[in-house]
Amino acid sequence: IPGALDALNRIAGDHFVAVDDVLSASRKAEHVAARHAFVHVPRSSLALSFPRIGRLIGRDHTTCVEADRKHAARIARECEPS
């Protein structure tokens, strides 16, 4: 899926991590944040299903649902006025 792969490369670059790190089983905070951001982009921009996104990154669809929820919550916290 070209749009999703472009997003993966862009998000990895934005988070200063390698694409392999986003796709790995690493639980380092920076890798997890990039992975969560990646799940959110194809879901919102490309309207891909969670099972399809999960297949792209080697995760179960429920993991993708949770990643999208956590990413949305993080964005809401960051946009909240102090």
Side-chain angles (χ1 to χ4, degrees):
I1 303 165
L5 297 178
D6 292 340
L8 178 59
N9 286 315
R10 190 193 61 197
I11 288 166
D14 289 349
H15 284 82
F16 304 104
V17 297
V19 170
D20 288 343
D21 293 332
V22 176
L23 299 176
S24 75
S26 171
R27 294 177 61 190
K28 284 186 172 183
E30 58 269 19
H31 300 164
V32 171
R35 194 174 303 126
H36 288 184
F38 172 71
V39 167
H40 182 76
V41 169
R43 178 68 179 169
S44 60
S45 300
L46 303 173
L48 292 181
S49 67
F50 287 122
R52 186 119 189 230
I53 296 167
R55 284 192 297 273
L56 287 173
I57 61 172
R59 301 289 191 289
D60 185 78
H61 79 280
T62 57
T63 302
C64 294
V65 171
E66 186 66 9
D68 187 54
R69 186 192 65 75
K70 286 184 178 185
H71 182 73
R74 188 176 67 94
I75 295 300
R77 274 193 318 273
E78 289 177 0
C79 293
E80 210 171 71
S82 300

